Amino acid sequence: MENKTISRRLRLLSQLMELHEVNPFKIKSIANAAFTVDKLPYAAAGKTFEELEKIYGIGKSVAAKIVELMQTGTMVELEEILAKTPPGIVEMMGIKGIGAKKVAIIWHDLGIETIGELYYACNENRLIEAKGFGLKTQDEIRKVIEFKMASNGKFLYAQVVAEANALMDMLKNIFQNALIEFAGEYRRTCEIITELKVVLGTRDQEISFQTLLDSDFMKDVKVAGECISGKTENGLSICIYCVEKRYFFKTLFMETGNDEHVKLVLERAPEFPDQPESEDIIYLKAAMDYIKPELREGDLFIEKAIKHELPVLISYHDLKGTLHNHSTWSDGVNTVEEMAVYCRDELKLEYLGMCDHSKSAFYAKGLSIERVLQQQEEIDHLNKKLDGFYVFKGIESDILNDGSLDYPDEILKKFDFIVASVHSNLKMSEEKATERIIKAVENPHTTILGHPTGRLLLSRNGYSINYKKVIDACAANNVIIEINANPLRLDLDWRWHQYALDKGVWLSINPDAHRKEGFLDMHYGTLVARKGGLYKERCLNALSLPEIKKVFELKKQGKKW
């Protein structure tokens, strides 16, 4: 066992001891020993217990731990303290910029147990509220986590957009007369991107191919047939198909849809055109309507295309307002008025739904009953003051362990609408989690089910639920399901949008914004909504102000709209 390995294990032990507030003298002793072992000019593994204890900075107690580590591969004391520490907390210990004391605050004061939750908290601006943290520290932590996520070769769609646009601009500048388009996961607007595919159709394939090989925007360049692949500096995989112009649309089709979708279309097009002039022709030959790129996942929309029943997908410009947002009343950055004015003047929206955290969300300055009433007074004042805009009184009410909401009925009825969400106890069995959510959905005050699984993409799996039972309950109780537009969530998963729509459930594209810039996440929410086949006629916040006021009014009366 190398010195660095021994040193790292001792350092981890000292950090965990500090986290659990063990005797500070013992912590210092082990930390000093870790430093000493790391700097030894010879291998500690070759020394006996007697030799180790005589080394200055190690001593008898730590020498015994080193011998135990070398003989068994671990230390009992380390295993015992690891058993008391969530794996995500141990992982946080490796983040540059935060020591054990800060991790303890993150864990105990903020209730955060995974790196994914920590990243989400950074994006919500929640860390700066904690003791010992500031904006600079929060930004540094966020950047380190982003780098860690990228090092796994997987990226959130939103993380890739800027780099993808820069790549496209560069290619169009170099190949000015070529046909160039994205394909693959990015063109299908998948929530997770593992490879950025581009199809380039050129009149001189050989010269274009060599130009790409001579460029320096990729490293680890490889060639396989007509594909040149490599990685960007931050680890994003890129594959560029360089083909003759006459094969551009054929290649674009083949490389856009997933394997199952392409196979199903080809089976219906025995006379597949070798040099199609557009992708439309390929679908025409398969006797079906043109299927937009984002819908090319398996067989989900094949039958609808055959029957000419494809939906007119919702667009960002169809959205008339924004629901589920947070202000300085809880863990947001901007005031209600600042958010309202931004929505009215910059985004040209008609309404804003404020949904600050409820009282159980202590980590996010959840609103006590008294503060709820104070905020509602402020909103009443704003609605008299704002011209041509309306602010709805909402709340993001925590779904408690037993499925109840965390205010009494006399308070719940004072809100215009209620988003019910799970934020705690995420480790229930599927049966228990499903029962919990269904009980919340059956509460007559619940208007919208927020981020149904609580997932954080690339960071934390959502809690297991029986999707069909939850969606069926929403249909039976006239409850809308949120598509949380935060790029880390995008929850409800697009794979369940069609089931929900088929059951008569409405969806709502909610940004869960904690600052003005967070409203822009509705772009990503719209993309994933399109991927699930959502159309504006069944999107709650595509309704005009008079229409949505009527919906909220009917819901409060227990009537279907």
Side-chain angles (χ1 to χ4, degrees), residues 136-248:
K136 184 179 179 182
T137 302
Q138 178 177 269
D139 286 342
E140 288 173 353
I141 292 171
R142 179 175 52 79
K143 288 174 184 175
V144 171
I145 297 175
E146 284 178 347
F147 180 80
K148 182 179 178 67
M149 291 164 68
S151 67
N152 295 326
K154 295 181 179 180
F155 297 78
L156 301 175
Y157 179 91
Q159 290 177 310
V160 174
V161 171
E163 196 163 8
N165 289 339
L167 173 64
M168 184 58 70
D169 289 343
M170 182 195 69
L171 291 174
K172 287 184 175 180
N173 187 52
I174 297 173
F175 304 99
Q176 296 185 9
N177 296 316
L179 295 172
I180 311 174
E181 182 57 86
F182 289 114
E185 297 164 332
Y186 189 74
R187 192 175 182 221
R188 297 202 309 273
T189 63
C190 294
E191 62 270 49
I192 303 296
I193 306 296
T194 58
E195 181 181 55
L196 191 60
K197 283 188 181 182
V198 179
V199 178
L200 188 154
T202 175
R203 293 192 183 281
D204 199 324
Q205 184 185 19
E206 188 175 336
I207 292 176
S208 297
F209 207 87
Q210 191 59 49
T211 301
L212 288 169
L213 287 175
D214 292 340
S215 61
D216 60 357
F217 64 91
M218 291 190 294
K219 59 182 182 179
D220 303 327
V221 175
K222 297 176 184 177
V223 176
E226 295 177 322
C227 175
I228 300 173
S229 63
K231 293 181 181 292
T232 62
E233 285 299 321
N234 71 346
L236 175 62
S237 294
I238 295 178
C239 181
I240 301 177
Y241 290 86
C242 183
V243 301
E244 292 182 35
K245 223 170 193 178
R246 55 186 173 145
Y247 297 123
F248 173 79

Side-chain angles (χ1 to χ4, degrees), residues 484-525:
N484 191 292
N486 186 302
L488 270 165
R489 290 194 184 272
L490 300 178
D491 182 19
L492 178 71
D493 190 299
W494 62 265
R495 295 162 184 82
W496 288 97
H497 291 184
Q498 277 301 298
Y499 183 82
L501 293 170
D502 290 344
K503 289 292 182 176
V505 176
W506 283 56
L507 304 177
S508 184
I509 301 172
N510 297 343
D512 199 353
H514 286 69
R515 63 185 77 196
K516 291 187 293 186
E517 295 78 7
F519 292 124
L520 303 179
D521 284 348
M522 288 196 295
H523 284 284
Y524 302 117

Side-chain angles (χ1 to χ4, degrees), residues 400-459:
L400 305 180
N401 287 343
D402 64 355
S404 60
L405 305 185
D406 61 349
Y407 290 115
D409 284 350
E410 59 265 27
I411 297 301
L412 292 174
K413 66 176 62 171
K414 289 181 178 292
F415 296 104
D416 294 318
F417 74 108
I418 292 171
V419 175
S421 306
V422 170
H423 289 108
S424 60
N425 196 358
L426 310 182
K427 299 176 183 177
M428 287 183 171
S429 67
E430 179 179 309
E431 183 182 5
K432 289 291 185 184
T434 301
E435 289 176 0
R436 176 190 193 182
I437 292 174
I438 289 176
K439 183 175 178 182
V441 165
E442 289 174 344
N443 188 310
H445 299 292
T446 299
T447 317
I448 300 173
L449 174 61
H451 45 73
T453 72
R455 74 181 187 181
L456 296 176
L457 295 168
L458 296 182
S459 307

Side-chain angles (χ1 to χ4, degrees), residues 298-326:
D299 64 350
L300 194 57
F301 289 93
I302 294 287
E303 188 175 346
K304 290 181 184 292
I306 293 169
K307 294 180 177 179
H308 311 295
E309 295 175 352
L310 285 172
V312 177
L313 299 180
I314 193 167
S315 72
Y316 177 78
H317 299 291
D318 290 325
L319 304 183
K320 306 299 183 190
T322 172
L323 306 168
H324 187 177
N325 304 289
H326 300 264

Side-chain angles (χ1 to χ4, degrees), residues 41-101:
Y42 48 80
K47 301 298 178 181
T48 64
F49 169 79
E50 289 75 18
E51 289 172 322
L52 286 169
E53 72 167 326
K54 292 177 183 177
I55 298 172
Y56 181 78
I58 292 183
K60 185 180 292 186
S61 175
V62 179
K65 296 183 190 305
I66 294 173
V67 171
E68 181 189 6
L69 181 61
M70 290 188 293
Q71 290 177 347
T72 67
T74 187
M75 294 175 280
V76 170
E77 190 170 7
L78 177 60
E79 293 303 317
E80 288 176 347
I81 202 165
L82 280 171
K84 298 187 294 183
T85 314
I89 296 297
V90 178
E91 195 178 1
M92 277 182 214
M93 293 293 189
I95 296 179
K96 184 179 178 182
I98 52 174
K101 289 181 180 177

